[in-house]
Amino acid sequence: VQLQASGGGLVQAGASLRLSCAASGRTFGNYAVGWFRQAPGKERAFVAAISRSGTFTQYADSVKGRFTISRDNAKNTVYLQMNSLKTEDTTVYYCAADPVLSVLTTGRGNYWGQGTLVTVSS
């Protein structure tokens, strides 16, 4: 499956952004999808993941209550709604897909998209 992340940009602290991860190729509904972020010189960090049907979601503690992951399998797209953005949310965000949700929560995944840059100014 091929993944394309988009929606990044420059916003002020407290604002919102919605990232999209569009998939093509194999049946999208067969894959859990996760969002990750990685700052220069730092390890990739798990942000959120959603199960194949969308029933189950998981979040990193740092984004709970601010970010919401959702999916529309008819559109082959997973979204990450980011509210109350903070300057420390600034980094490149990636999406990944894997048949198993728990694999994504460990920072791994079979398929990865390119990143989209989110910059939050103070």
Side-chain angles (χ1 to χ4, degrees), residues 38-94:
Q38 186 170 20
K42 294 188 177 181
E43 291 187 357
R44 183 170 60 212
F46 169 76
V47 175
I50 189 165
S51 63
R52 290 175 287 182
S53 65
T55 302
F56 301 104
T57 57
Q58 286 190 254
Y59 297 91
D61 288 344
S62 58
V63 305
K64 279 181 182 176
R66 300 189 299 124
F67 292 10
T68 302
I69 190 170
S70 62
R71 68 188 297 160
D72 185 338
N73 284 347
K75 295 183 178 179
N76 285 358
T77 303
V78 167
Y79 305 98
L80 184 68
Q81 178 67 42
M82 306 187 296
N83 299 330
S84 302
L85 281 163
K86 304 176 181 180
T87 55
E88 51 262 43
D89 294 319
T90 295
T91 189
V92 179
Y93 286 74
Y94 300 86

Side-chain angles (χ1 to χ4, degrees), residues 22-42:
S24 60
R26 302 187 181 191
T27 304
F28 184 58
N30 289 342
Y31 295 89
V33 177
W35 285 97
F36 303 81
R37 59 190 183 185
Q38 186 170 20
K42 294 188 177 181

